[in-house]
Amino acid sequence: MAKKSKIAKAKKIEATVAKYADKRAALKEAGDYVGLSKLPRNASPVRMHNRDQLDGRPHAYMREFGMSRLNFRELAHKGLIPGVKKASW
């Protein structure tokens, strides 16, 4: 489980990116790089980081499932992820 403060910070950055998305797009289209530099740093989508939806783990994130490899493995073994089964050959 990730620290609560890190999860909260990630949500705050996500909200800031969403808030300034239209303004960033307009400034970028106009080529106004001075205006872009005046926006908050956390308004840039590059600063977002993917985290596990279940426990907030930042490493080994699987985009297709929105979770880390650890939670994916646990849920897959329990049969809770549709279309995923343990391989054997």
Side-chain angles (χ1 to χ4, degrees), residues 13 16-18 20-21 24 39-45 47:
I13 290 173
T16 307
V17 168
Y20 287 99
R24 278 187 65 80
L39 293 177
R41 283 190 174 191
N42 286 339
S44 174
R47 293 176 69 96

Side-chain angles (χ1 to χ4, degrees), residues 43-80:
S44 174
V46 173
R47 293 176 69 96
M48 287 186 359
H49 191 76
N50 291 327
R51 287 187 170 268
D52 188 331
Q53 297 297 318
L54 301 175
D55 63 5
R57 180 182 165 87
H59 298 290
Y61 179 82
M62 299 172 72
R63 288 183 185 197
E64 188 174 342
F65 300 99
M67 62 182 77
S68 68
R69 65 178 177 83
L70 301 175
N71 286 325
F72 174 79
R73 185 171 190 265
E74 183 180 321
L75 294 176
H77 280 305
K78 291 179 182 175
L80 298 175

Side-chain angles (χ1 to χ4, degrees), residues 9-40:
K9 182 179 178 184
K11 287 182 181 177
K12 186 176 179 183
I13 290 173
E14 191 175 319
T16 307
V17 168
K19 179 180 176 183
Y20 287 99
D22 295 332
K23 191 170 186 178
R24 278 187 65 80
L27 289 171
K28 207 164 192 177
E29 188 178 315
D32 185 8
Y33 297 109
V34 175
L36 276 172
S37 67
K38 290 182 180 177
L39 293 177

